[in-house]
Amino acid sequence: MSSKTILFIANWKMNGSPSNFVEVAKVADFLDKKLKEYKKYIVFCPPISLLGYFSKKNRSKKVAFGAQDISNTKIDFGAETGSLSASLVKLSGAQYLIVGHSERRVTGDNFLVIKEKLLSASKSKLKIIFCIGETLEEKKKNKSLTILKKQILNSLPKKINLNNVTFAYEPIWSIGTGLVPTNQYLEKIFSFLETLLKSQFKIKSPKIIYGGSVNSANIKNLRNIGACSGYLIGGASLKAKNFIEIIKNYYN
Ligand code: PGA
């Protein structure tokens, strides 16, 4: 088993009901019984409507929870109907927060909105999963690196605790499509991101993870990306069986 700390994050998107806690419990049981030496968290990000319930029901120390988004509000509590602050998601049991997912960017999260969300998440001491990624068109035009740089430089505040930020490289053309970049392409992207984060943000060891159509078959290949510290997993994280298979195949 690799000595590196690997994060497996389940992004349930707009799926799940209270009865689906059974999937979380099965993963927790697997970790507690079969991966005893594995000390790190598996993070479940269910819809916000399930977060409090799931985190209260959970008994495993190896499972943590995260939220998929917050509002770009400047206050923690107050007269903002429908808003969700970082403090509120923290009170519901979230230790992690996904910010800047492409499915939020298409609904209006621009660079500034993302920056505001990163600032309030950091103020509430949430661990941030900051998503970045290029479209297929941008990739075809050889613009991937420029786009990623822009997404980081325009939204990532320098004054927050950058050690609490994990960067999730999620090529938009990979999300939910079954298409996964080649390892050669990923190596190039990860090395570019590492250099950028070290030089411009003085992050000693940037944590960068991959997301986009990860499954139990392609994980055997994806695990060979040297600089990759984990995976953000959508569709294949909904059923414990598939999620456990990914974790197993990573370590075996
Ligand atoms: P996917 O989603 O694994 O279903 O491609 C990943 C994500 O959007 O985070």
Side-chain angles (χ1 to χ4, degrees):
M1 188 187 288
S2 152
S3 58
K4 217 166 56 167
T5 300
I6 297 294
L7 208 52
F8 293 91
I9 304 170
N11 176 12
W12 277 17
K13 308 194 179 189
M14 203 171 65
N15 295 294
S17 70
S19 65
N20 292 121
F21 179 75
V22 66
E23 307 298 333
V24 177
K26 279 183 197 165
V27 174
D29 200 46
F30 162 76
L31 295 171
D32 290 336
K33 290 193 178 130
K34 296 282 184 336
L35 270 186
K36 285 202 187 82
E37 67 278 37
Y38 186 80
K39 299 214 172 53
K40 294 297 165 188
Y41 289 148
I42 301 289
V43 184
F44 279 93
C45 302
I48 191 71
S49 55
L50 298 174
L51 189 61
Y53 176 70
F54 279 17
S55 63
K56 271 215 182 78
K57 267 192 94 96
N58 175 53
R59 295 280 164 268
S60 171
K61 287 201 168 66
K62 291 181 181 175
V63 168
F65 293 92
Q68 298 171 15
D69 194 26
I70 50 169
S71 308
N72 62 325
T73 170
K74 299 226 166 24
I75 55 175
D76 296 326
F77 307 98
E80 282 193 26
T81 305
S83 284
L84 202 56
S85 65
S87 300
L88 284 182
V89 301
K90 201 156 184 212
L91 284 172
S92 297
Q95 289 176 38
Y96 287 77
L97 173 70
I98 299 174
V99 179
H101 192 285
S102 60
E103 287 156 12
R104 300 266 30 104
R105 288 182 193 257
V106 289
T107 61
D109 277 20
N110 59 27
F111 292 150
L112 180 62
V113 167
I114 292 172
K115 187 177 206 162
E116 286 168 352
K117 291 182 178 183
L118 290 170
L119 281 167
S120 45
S122 178
K123 205 173 113 224
S124 291
K125 298 198 167 42
L126 285 164
K127 293 190 172 118
I128 295 166
I129 314 294
F130 177 26
C131 300
I132 50 173
E134 81 284 3
T135 64
L136 187 57
E137 206 186 339
E138 288 159 349
K139 177 181 184 270
K140 281 184 182 157
K141 288 186 182 154
N142 260 328
K143 284 191 173 163
S144 304
L145 301 183
T146 318
I147 295 296
L148 295 173
K149 187 172 176 183
K150 239 180 163 178
Q151 290 175 341
I152 293 176
L153 295 186
N154 284 302
S155 293
L156 187 64
K158 285 203 165 130
K159 58 180 182 191
I160 64 172
N161 180 2
L162 293 165
N163 292 320
N164 259 346
V165 183
T166 295
F167 298 83
Y169 170 58
E170 294 208 302
I172 296 167
W173 51 274
S174 256
I175 296 175
T177 60
L179 298 172
V180 172
T182 61
N183 282 20
Q184 195 191 8
Y185 185 76
L186 285 173
E187 294 280 6
K188 188 176 95 181
I189 301 275
F190 274 65
S191 132
F192 171 80
L193 292 175
E194 241 185 3
T195 309
L196 176 76
L197 294 167
K198 280 183 184 168
S199 63
Q200 306 256 349
F201 292 87
K202 309 280 171 265
I203 307 177
K204 270 198 193 129
S205 345
K207 291 185 283 290
I208 313 171
I209 65 175
Y210 169 77
S213 293
V214 175
N215 62 33
S216 58
N218 60 30
I219 192 73
K220 291 198 173 188
N221 205 24
L222 289 168
R223 68 182 177 180
N224 297 322
I225 311 295
C228 185
S229 306
Y231 306 90
L232 182 53
I233 306 164
S237 70
L238 288 169
K239 289 270 169 258
K241 187 175 170 292
N242 298 335
F243 197 32
I244 289 171
E245 212 57 29
I246 293 175
I247 302 167
K248 267 192 195 160
N249 286 354
Y250 178 88
Y251 287 111
N252 290 327

